[in-house]
Amino acid sequence: MDDKGITIDLAVQGMSCTACAARIEKNISKMPGVEAVAVSYSARTAWVQYMPEMVQPASIMEQIGKLGFKANLPEHAKEGFEKERSRLRIRLIISLLLTLPLLSAMIQHLAPFARIELPAMMTNPWLQLGLATIIQFVIGLPFYIGAYHAIRSRATNMDVLVATGTSAAYLYSHYLVFNADRTALFAHEVPLYFETSAVVITAVLLGKFIEASVTSRAQQDASGYSKLLNAVVRVERAGVELEIKTEFVRENDYVLVQAGQIIPVDGIVTSGESEVDESLLTGESVPLGKRSGDQVWAGTKNGGNTLRIRTTAAGYATMLSRIVDLVRQAQRSKSLIQRQVDAVSAWFVPTMLLLAFGTFAVWVTAVDPGNWTTAFRCAVAVVLAACPCALGLATPISLVVASGRLAKRGIVVKEAGALERLAQLNMLILDKTGTLTEGKPKISRIHAPTGSKQGLLRLAAAVEANSTHPLAIAIRAEAVQAGLVPPTAADYSYMTGKGVEANVEQRKIGVGNASFVAARNWTFGSPTIRSFAEECQKLGETVLYIADNNRVIGAMSFFDTVKPLSKSAVSRLRKEGVTVLLATGDHPAPALSAAQTAGIPHERVYANMLPEDKLELVDQLKKQDYKVGMAGDGWNDAPALAAADVGLAMGDGTDAALTAGHITLLQPRMTAIPEALLISRMTVRNVRQNLTFAFIYNALIIPFAACGMLQPWMAGTAMAFSSVSVVGNAIRLGAKLKKAAGQF
């Protein structure tokens, strides 16, 4: 819970199109205590943020029920969705069996089959009436219920169109059966449209069943992380081994993981050595060696020996669960394109209904005056042809597929809009340490002209005892390796991106870069320190100075290797039209050295950059109309990550990586950036294809229907399969993304 309340995910059954999702959002958002709500038709879920002292989940679920839908808690989501799909299958089968006899009447109107004589019973108007009535009011009852709830909420959806169009066809035919001349009726000289309403209902059910099946498959692909969750885990408590459910594991429990098993918790290895496969979590294909003291994560696979792990997080607190939440968050969020489409869909159905009335009026008064039958047929065709479902599905279904594929590659997208903005990227700023380089610098040399190197290292380690900066970590690691025990430091004074001072053994000891030296007005105890620093910087190494009571007594240099695939990644980005800059707080010499290795021109290197300088650089580039991306380690780059059009947080599986930026790269490999760029561009291209098809479909089919060039059953069938084609194109995207991932 935070200051905005707590959140809950609900599985929603009964939605027929994106207009239903919009109606739920609109109504639930008006409830007292509800802070935010997002409903996804493609995912069949509702995300609600609420204040528990004002409203409870039961009330929210009850309100959704009043709108004509059924809401379940997440644990019942899959079961509920399968039940809904099963009911849809049964309705489809019955509708299909009852529609087949009605097709005989339609077949006789087609030229190639005009001479075929069918049994009189098959074309009997009373039989047609009976079959059509069952289809219309029993099989089609959910359409009426959905339309009723929509109109009651002063909204429209696909149910309104289907109910209106099929009812018009059925009722008109029903009127003719009871009022037309009996001789003409049984001689088939009076046109009946029972087959129209039946075929349309059957086609819509078929389309919805295919859509539900394909969407279910896409959902399963996107929710692949659920396969990494263990139901039962073996723990050691008070020297006794027990098997318990994973949700009952507590912090500091000792978990035993055998070879070949999925690790069920986040934790620290306390005994055992093994290789752990983290590919399904981070996208890193090479198993990593783990030993006592190493961090392991839930969802990774133990490939070697038994590991004993002290739990640091279990259940919903693990990084795996947080990733699952972020993937769901991305899938339920809406991109700019989706919001624009939703705005169009809101007025689409009412407009089509007005167009249908207009079509009827034009035909009966101007085109074919007095011919009510033709006017009616054209108006019904317009109603049945018009449906915003293909438009509404065009964006979210592709985003579900893409976010799932990215997550499997260790690339977690937090919001749909980030994927859309990433596709437009043409300028990328890279941090150096941890992004372009390995981020694990090591001490190269220590220069202590007036004392011992170990004494200098000991003082530096004391001052850097609490810092998370990579250079501080390198200092502490070197001290441990040398067997040193740093003294206690107190009264820390930091200057972000420059250095730190603290009281150590009644002396003020400082560690910092050249900017920190100048800011503190330190003096140099020996001229050799400057020459040492200049020599190291020429080699591309980073230098830190150590001062005792404002007097520099030594220095140490660090080297950090450039990641092996950095040059390849930069080259791929340039081929995609992205200009790459390097912005680092490091000295110009090591910055230029790293840039040269990675293939970044020297004129695009910015050194001695503080966090606020990087933020200013991002703002300047955005003012020049660049679409700017920032890739950093998620800590000191946080301001720039947030300000960029797309912030890419480079992580190594840490919690920090999940909290910074718009996109998180769990495995800090440089090739993940061009991979994410490629996937985003393929996804946006797929969305545009879907939207283009949906717009072209409506632009062509509706005029044809209005002009009398389509029979109503043809228009209704085309409407049903327009959504299926959009979903199918999104599934095709999944196959293309899987193939593209093989390039990296």
Side-chain angles (χ1 to χ4, degrees):
M1 179 173 177
D2 55 26
D3 57 349
K4 293 184 178 180
I6 60 177
T7 62
I8 186 173
D9 282 300
L10 298 173
V12 181
Q13 300 175 39
M15 290 191 289
S16 62
C17 63
T18 52
C20 297
R23 182 154 54 93
I24 296 173
E25 281 187 5
K26 182 179 179 181
N27 280 269
I28 299 302
S29 64
K30 294 178 180 178
M31 292 183 68
V34 173
E35 300 295 316
V37 58
V39 181
S40 171
Y41 169 63
S42 60
R44 306 299 197 275
T45 59
W47 171 84
V48 185
Q49 187 176 60
Y50 63 96
M51 303 302 293
E53 64 272 17
M54 298 180 65
V55 66
Q56 291 296 315
S59 301
I60 297 171
M61 295 167 68
E62 183 182 352
Q63 181 63 25
I64 292 176
K66 290 179 179 178
L67 296 174
F69 309 100
K70 184 178 180 181
N72 290 313
L73 294 174
E75 54 263 32
H76 305 302
K78 185 176 181 181
E79 179 184 354
F81 185 77
E82 287 304 317
K83 284 184 178 179
E84 184 177 8
R85 197 159 68 101
S86 179
R87 289 194 294 268
L88 194 58
R89 183 192 294 112
I90 293 172
R91 289 171 61 201
L92 171 61
I93 292 173
I94 296 175
S95 182
L96 184 61
L97 292 175
L98 296 179
T99 300
L100 288 175
L102 296 176
L103 292 176
S104 59
M106 182 178 68
I107 288 175
Q108 286 192 327
H109 291 295
L110 302 177
F113 307 101
R115 296 183 179 181
I116 297 178
E117 291 191 12
L118 296 172
M121 176 62 70
M122 298 291 287
T123 58
N124 187 293
W126 296 106
L127 175 66
Q128 292 185 37
L129 173 62
L131 295 177
T133 300
I134 296 173
I135 296 172
Q136 188 71 36
F137 298 111
V138 179
I139 304 300
L141 180 61
F143 293 119
Y144 286 100
I145 294 174
Y148 164 74
H149 284 290
I151 295 172
R152 184 183 178 190
S153 301
R154 298 180 182 179
T156 53
N157 61 0
M158 189 194 75
D159 291 332
V160 173
L161 290 175
V162 174
T164 301
T166 58
S167 295
Y170 171 84
L171 293 175
Y172 181 70
S173 301
H174 182 280
Y175 170 81
L176 292 176
V177 168
F178 284 95
N179 293 279
D181 179 82
R182 289 288 181 272
T183 303
L185 180 67
F186 281 88
H188 310 302
E189 296 174 359
V190 177
L192 299 178
Y193 294 99
F194 286 126
E195 78 280 358
T196 294
S197 60
V199 169
V200 168
I201 288 176
T202 302
V204 171
L205 290 175
L206 177 60
K208 289 181 71 63
F209 179 73
I210 294 174
E211 176 196 317
S213 300
V214 175
T215 302
S216 176
R217 175 183 162 191
Q219 289 283 340
Q220 290 173 4
D221 290 343
S223 304
Y225 282 122
S226 60
K227 301 174 184 176
L228 307 180
L229 300 173
N230 281 3
V232 179
V233 60
R234 180 171 289 275
V235 301
E236 181 184 297
R237 290 178 178 171
V240 179
E241 292 186 14
L242 305 169
E243 276 197 355
I244 63 175
K245 290 186 177 181
T246 305
E247 54 262 37
F248 297 136
V249 178
R250 301 190 299 262
E251 189 176 343
N252 292 321
D253 269 344
Y254 288 92
V255 175
L256 302 175
V257 183
Q258 305 289 332
Q261 290 184 338
I262 299 294
I263 296 174
V265 298
D266 292 351
I268 306 293
V269 177
T270 59
S271 65
E273 290 189 18
S274 182
E275 287 191 338
V276 174
D277 181 2
E278 298 183 345
S279 60
L280 294 178
L281 187 65
T282 66
E284 176 56 55
S285 59
V286 180
L288 301 176
K290 299 290 183 179
R291 63 180 67 180
S292 181
D294 287 343
Q295 176 81 55
V296 291
W297 311 100
T300 59
K301 187 175 183 180
N302 180 20
N305 304 311
T306 300
L307 292 176
R308 184 172 182 265
I309 301 166
R310 179 176 60 81
T311 302
T312 57
Y316 292 110
T318 63
M319 188 181 74
L320 176 63
S321 294
R322 294 181 64 190
I323 292 172
V324 172
D325 287 342
L326 288 174
V327 172
R328 288 175 179 167
Q329 175 181 313
Q331 292 175 354
R332 69 176 174 245
S333 64
K334 296 182 179 180
S335 65
L336 177 60
I337 294 176
Q338 181 62 38
R339 288 194 293 270
Q340 292 171 340
V341 169
D342 286 350
V344 172
S345 299
W347 54 261
F348 187 86
V349 173
T351 301
M352 291 302 104
L353 290 174
L354 289 175
L355 180 61
F357 283 116
T359 299
F360 180 84
V362 170
W363 271 93
V364 80
T365 59
V367 179
D368 194 358
N371 192 336
W372 292 76
T373 299
T374 301
F376 165 79
R377 177 172 58 81
C378 293
V380 170
V382 170
V383 172
L384 295 176
C387 182
C389 287
L391 283 174
L393 279 172
T395 302
I397 191 65
S398 296
L399 292 176
V400 166
V401 172
S403 59
R405 174 55 53 186
L406 284 165
K408 288 181 179 179
R409 298 290 295 169
I411 304 169
V412 180
V413 180
K414 295 184 181 181
E415 52 163 308
L419 203 61
E420 186 179 334
R421 297 193 300 272
L422 180 62
Q424 303 170 359
L425 198 72
N426 55 16
M427 180 70 69
L428 178 65
I429 303 171
L430 296 177
D431 178 40
K432 184 175 79 71
T433 305
T435 303
L436 192 64
T437 64
E438 294 288 356
K440 298 178 180 177
K442 296 180 180 179
I443 292 180
S444 174
R445 289 179 287 174
I446 298 176
H447 181 64
T450 59
S452 70
K453 294 180 180 180
Q454 286 196 339
L456 193 69
L457 179 61
R458 176 175 170 272
L459 292 174
V463 175
E464 298 284 14
N466 299 320
S467 176
T468 58
H469 193 281
L471 296 182
I473 295 172
I475 291 173
R476 294 200 299 270
E478 187 73 15
V480 170
Q481 188 174 354
L484 301 176
V485 180
T488 302
D491 299 329
Y492 291 95
S493 175
Y494 294 93
M495 185 175 288
T496 307
K498 294 183 179 181
V500 58
E501 285 183 318
N503 289 329
V504 181
E505 297 178 337
Q506 298 181 347
R507 292 181 291 172
K508 187 166 69 173
I509 304 298
V511 179
N513 57 22
S515 297
F516 197 60
V517 171
R520 298 296 188 182
N521 294 315
W522 288 348
T523 60
F524 282 80
S526 170
T528 61
I529 298 175
R530 291 184 185 274
S531 58
F532 168 81
E534 290 173 359
E535 180 184 348
C536 293
Q537 287 166 356
K538 287 178 181 178
L539 296 174
E541 296 178 350
T542 301
V543 176
L544 289 184
Y545 301 91
I546 296 87
D548 182 351
N549 291 326
N550 297 324
R551 182 170 175 269
V552 179
I553 58 174
M556 53 184 67
S557 65
F558 303 78
F559 70 94
D560 187 10
T561 56
V562 173
K563 292 177 182 176
L565 297 177
S566 290
K567 187 170 184 178
S568 172
V570 170
S571 177
R572 280 178 176 267
L573 288 167
R574 282 208 306 266
K575 288 179 181 178
E576 293 295 329
V578 179
T579 300
V580 181
L581 307 180
L582 177 63
T584 176
D586 213 342
H587 191 275
L592 289 168
S593 176
Q596 183 179 11
T597 304
I600 300 174
H602 66 87
E603 66 271 15
R604 294 177 185 158
V605 176
Y606 296 80
N608 294 324
M609 297 283 283
L610 297 175
E612 53 266 34
D613 297 326
K614 295 180 182 180
L615 175 60
E616 185 179 352
L617 177 61
V618 169
D619 290 337
Q620 287 178 353
L621 292 171
K622 288 175 70 174
K623 289 177 181 177
Q624 297 174 33
D625 292 329
Y626 286 108
K627 299 300 180 182
V628 183
M630 173 71 198
D633 60 13
W635 283 103
N636 60 343
D637 296 313
L641 286 168
D645 292 302
V646 183
L648 299 111
M650 307 289 289
D652 57 357
T654 62
D655 286 344
L658 295 177
T659 57
H662 308 104
I663 297 175
T664 297
L665 311 179
L666 296 180
Q667 184 65 29
R669 53 188 175 92
M670 273 290 292
T671 51
I673 299 178
E675 181 179 1
L677 178 68
L678 176 62
I679 289 177
S680 70
R681 290 182 174 177
M682 292 174 68
T683 302
V684 170
R685 191 180 306 124
N686 187 266
V687 168
R688 287 173 178 164
Q689 290 170 355
N690 289 344
L691 290 173
T692 299
F693 169 79
F695 278 115
I696 288 177
Y697 161 80
N698 283 293
L700 292 179
I701 202 80
I702 292 174
F704 271 92
C707 293
M709 301 172 68
L710 282 181
Q711 291 293 330
W713 69 268
M714 296 179 181
T717 303
M719 176 268 285
F721 282 94
S722 64
S723 297
V724 175
S725 63
V726 166
V727 175
N729 194 41
I731 296 301
R732 186 179 66 88
L733 169 67
K736 292 178 66 177
L737 295 182
K738 186 175 182 180
K739 182 179 179 181
Q743 303 176 19
F744 297 88

